[in-house]
Amino acid sequence: MHYTKVNVSMPQLQKLFQHFVEEGNLSPETNESDFIYYFSGIGEEPQTKLHWESSKTLLSIYIKELTGMNSRPEWRFTDGIFDNITASALRDLHSRPYSKDPSRSFESFFEAQKKIREYLSTL
């Protein structure tokens, strides 16, 4: 199981992997080949899932930006790729800021989304 809509080259995937490790999103012990498989389908299927170590909201933004720019994000694959988050949780985290609840502020979500989009545009 892997994401099928990620449209980046191998060098871009390697750069994204390094970024995730440097930012503390993935452990430095994470195998790059596992990450590449899960985000491209290239290589052998890993025996272990990835473990996301930072904000699940950030992961939801990355998954949306990487797999759903022109269509629905591939939330469903998340259960088979990450060991500590479910597809439904990511989908809910990502959709919450778009709700019509005026009593809640989601400014930090949209700031993070802007930064992630800017970063991904540099790949």
Side-chain angles (χ1 to χ4, degrees):
M1 178 168 300
H2 61 87
Y3 295 114
T4 62
K5 295 181 182 178
V6 177
N7 189 21
V8 296
S9 68
M10 185 60 68
Q12 290 171 317
L13 267 181
Q14 292 167 327
K15 187 175 178 183
L16 184 60
F17 172 75
Q18 287 300 327
H19 173 75
F20 282 168
V21 170
E22 290 169 6
E23 293 292 313
N25 299 318
L26 291 175
S27 165
E29 287 82 40
T30 304
N31 289 324
E32 183 178 26
S33 61
D34 292 353
F35 175 83
I36 288 172
Y37 175 83
Y38 284 129
F39 281 82
S40 70
I42 296 171
E44 294 192 30
E45 187 170 357
Q47 299 301 308
T48 59
K49 296 178 181 181
L50 300 177
H51 185 82
W52 190 258
E53 297 189 340
S54 66
S55 162
K56 309 269 189 285
T57 300
L58 285 180
L59 178 59
S60 77
I61 297 169
Y62 276 110
I63 298 303
K64 167 62 177 162
E65 296 301 316
L66 289 166
T67 73
M69 286 303 295
N70 297 317
S71 62
R72 295 181 61 162
E74 292 184 309
W75 304 122
R76 69 185 182 278
F77 295 129
T78 301
D79 294 332
I81 295 172
F82 291 94
D83 66 0
N84 59 332
I85 186 92
T86 64
S88 61
L90 275 191
R91 184 183 58 244
D92 291 348
L93 284 168
H94 198 274
S95 64
R96 197 171 294 146
Y98 295 97
S99 69
K100 302 291 186 201
D101 185 353
S103 67
R104 299 176 71 186
S105 173
F106 295 103
E107 187 174 320
S108 63
F109 173 91
F110 293 109
E111 287 174 11
Q113 183 182 53
K114 180 181 176 188
K115 287 180 183 177
I116 289 169
R117 284 179 175 169
E118 287 172 357
Y119 170 74
L120 292 175
S121 73
T122 68
L123 287 180

